[in-house]
Amino acid sequence: MTGPVHRSPFDLSVAVLCALFCLFTLFLNWQSPIARALQQGQRVNGLLIGSDYEDYTRHSDTMMLVSFDSLNRFLDVMSIPRDTMISIPGSPHIRRINEVFTYEFRHSGRNFTIASLALKSQVETMLSSGTVHPLQIPYFFTVDYSGFRSLIDAMGGVYVRVIEPMNYDDNWGHLHIHFQPGTYLLDGKSALEYVRFRGGSADQGRVRRQQLFVKEVLKRIKTPVFLWRLPRYAKFLLNGFHSNVTIWDMFLLLSEGRHLRWRDLRLITLPGVTRGNLWEMNTEETAQVVNRLQ
């Protein structure tokens, strides 16, 4: 006959902590619109903004619409060339989509949130032209140069394949880019040089390189080294990252991203044609693409 089982204080403490953690997780998920969207198999749309710092102000150097189909675990990424032509009634001085962020940043007292929300709203309006239903982009993710470098360093670097010489020198801007053909493991500093390079094909070439870079970043996110190194760079990432998404929601999205498969990623560029040094959006083709993301 066995006697009663006695629990040690340590066992009880662990059980209580586990219960509290589960309750806290349930509470966060209940509060989170992204958690609810993921649970209900809905799409999650966000605008990814890469921000530089030149001429004493901020620019939206990179813009990507990121749309995650949580039901089928499929990720669409649409690159928006920064020279895309736009027309805003009452603002004739703004001709390019990237000028929206710069204008709002200057006139809002250097407020990242206001500038990001203004750009997000303009992208929604632009992409909704001719669509059945207006495109909703609830979230924005703005990362500056320092945040980008920290992210890549946290990953342990990113592998890229350079297929042609990349050479550019800007002594005034302190930018020097030199890559010969080959495969490289780029740290944060070198990776930033790689994605900023324009070359002979101007912004279209840079967009293609950035898309290929996104693929490689998703590969690195899946590696254990990223999660191991992430806490070390958390402070630098947070200082260079601005979003209307909570830390918990970012963790949820990161967890989803680790389960993405290679064939579940679709990279596209905003449909259009070159007009001089500008990019003119094709409204009909863009509407067809956006309607598939609804």
Side-chain angles (χ1 to χ4, degrees), residues 237-291:
L237 284 171
L238 292 176
N239 287 339
F241 198 84
H242 309 270
S243 178
N244 58 351
V245 172
T246 67
I247 297 296
W248 176 252
D249 285 335
M250 290 182 192
F251 173 77
L252 293 177
L253 293 173
L254 180 62
S255 299
E256 290 290 330
R258 287 177 55 81
H259 297 295
L260 279 174
R261 295 170 297 181
W262 195 238
R263 64 177 180 270
D264 296 334
L265 174 64
R266 179 166 55 195
L267 299 172
I268 54 179
T269 301
L270 178 71
V273 295
T274 300
R275 297 293 185 194
N277 61 348
L278 299 176
W279 182 255
E280 182 179 6
M281 183 185 77
N282 184 307
T283 302
E284 292 184 2
E285 292 184 13
T286 299
Q288 292 176 7
V289 173
V290 173
N291 284 331

Side-chain angles (χ1 to χ4, degrees), residues 79-196:
S79 295
I80 302 172
R82 67 178 189 174
D83 294 329
T84 301
M85 299 168 56
I86 61 171
S87 177
I88 303 177
S91 301
H93 55 283
I94 297 180
R95 300 181 59 216
R96 297 175 172 85
I97 188 65
N98 71 322
E99 293 173 344
V100 174
F101 187 92
T102 301
Y103 177 85
E104 294 295 338
F105 188 81
R106 282 176 172 170
H107 291 80
S108 64
R110 301 175 180 270
N111 189 303
F112 269 102
T113 297
I114 292 177
S116 300
L117 288 173
L119 177 58
K120 181 178 73 68
S121 176
Q122 188 59 44
V123 170
E124 283 179 332
T125 301
M126 180 181 71
L127 296 182
S128 296
S129 301
T131 59
V132 177
H133 303 288
L135 177 67
Q136 300 295 321
I137 310 175
Y139 310 108
F140 70 84
F141 309 85
T142 302
V143 59
D144 63 20
Y145 284 174
S146 64
F148 178 87
R149 288 192 294 263
S150 297
L151 176 63
I152 302 306
D153 288 337
M155 294 177 180
V158 172
Y159 284 99
V160 300
R161 181 170 173 263
V162 177
I163 61 175
E164 60 183 358
M166 299 170 60
N167 295 292
Y168 176 78
D169 288 288
D170 179 2
N171 294 323
W172 181 261
H174 306 290
L175 177 62
H176 304 279
I177 302 173
H178 297 285
F179 293 107
Q180 294 302 313
T183 300
Y184 299 86
L185 176 61
L186 302 182
D187 60 9
K189 177 178 179 297
S190 299
L192 182 60
E193 295 172 354
Y194 175 82
V195 298
R196 291 185 66 189

